[in-house]
Amino acid sequence: MKESMKLRSGATIPQLTPEAAKEKSYLTRAALIQMHLTPSGSPVAFFENPDGSITYFFDPTKLVETPPELWYAPKQKTETMTTENGRKLIKMNTRRAAAFGYYTKERLSQMNYDVIEEPVAYTTRRDKSVAYFYDKKTAIKRPLLCVKCGKEVRYRHKLCRACFEEDLVLRREEGDAYRAQHFHAKREEVLFFDLELTGVYDHDEILSITIINGKGEILMDTLVKPARKKRWKQTEKIHGITPDMVQDAPTLVELTPRIKEIFAGAKQLIAYGISTDYSHIKKIYETKEEQEALREKTRCAAVEFVRYRNEHEPEFLHASLGDAMAMLGVEWDGVAHTSIADTIGCAKVWEKLFPNYYDD
Ligand SMILES: [Zn+2]
């Protein structure tokens, strides 16, 4: 005889004989249903019947009255049946049973639950056969199975460990082949850029811009004086650019002709986390067409890194530029979080990911 069992809630309850349970005034579910009572808490003890099913016992001080609409069936007098092992069950229709949280074994199985408790009620089907209802609360949630083999318990991406590993090998091969391609890019036509901003919102402004090309030549590296913002205490801690530092810096309007000239010569415009940078730099263009033309040139180094990471070390979860550099063995050149160091880091990460990107 098992001495105790663990409930889904994590609580452990003891096994008691029906006699011992009676002594403690514990009530079985069958008794509760007849009294129109519903347990408000988990069972406090159990008994394993000779047929292997479980009878739960409930604390009589932790009960609530079953709402009348659940038991009041005016045209129908309460019918009961006695099971083979002498237990009395109440008849109820499927809808009423569902209101209690009672379902058939088949329905619970569809919901991924296994029944261990004895039935708590029953109904008669049209063909006069009997269907038993079981309490979902005491059923055991089955672990979800792999969507590919349907046999093993899920590990990641809805796949079991073996199917995940198999899938990973394929994805890695595909990814490595994609990254190893010869892209025939010209180093002068591939630009990397990074902005430091006053904050994360669209109304925030640019405080510094760095643009380099695939040769590592610095095409622009300047602080920018914001037009409206006077203070940016939060981001100052990250990039270290103070209001004093940008006092005599050029404004974005002043820099715009030169930036446009640089971008005009580019085939690709790459940043680590391009969406933020793009949403700010596009403002130098007035028309939607010009902005769209710029967007078409952009590529995101972070997206490419995340793909690589998921294919090679899926247990590695972080994807900041620093993480990418660490995983790919790239050293910082200058102080992290300055736009010049981030831009150089991004260019190096890109070349690690795409070793045959350039023609030379
Ligand atoms: Zn599988």
Side-chain angles (χ1 to χ4, degrees), residues 8 111-115 136 138-144:
R8 222 159 63 227
M111 293 190 267
N112 255 304
Y113 286 90
D114 281 326
V115 167
K136 187 175 160 206
T138 56
I140 303 295
K141 179 102 178 147
R142 235 184 267 145
L144 293 172

Side-chain angles (χ1 to χ4, degrees), residues 146 148-150 152 159-160 163:
C146 170
K148 197 168 162 196
C149 67
E152 300 296 321
L159 299 172
C160 69
C163 290

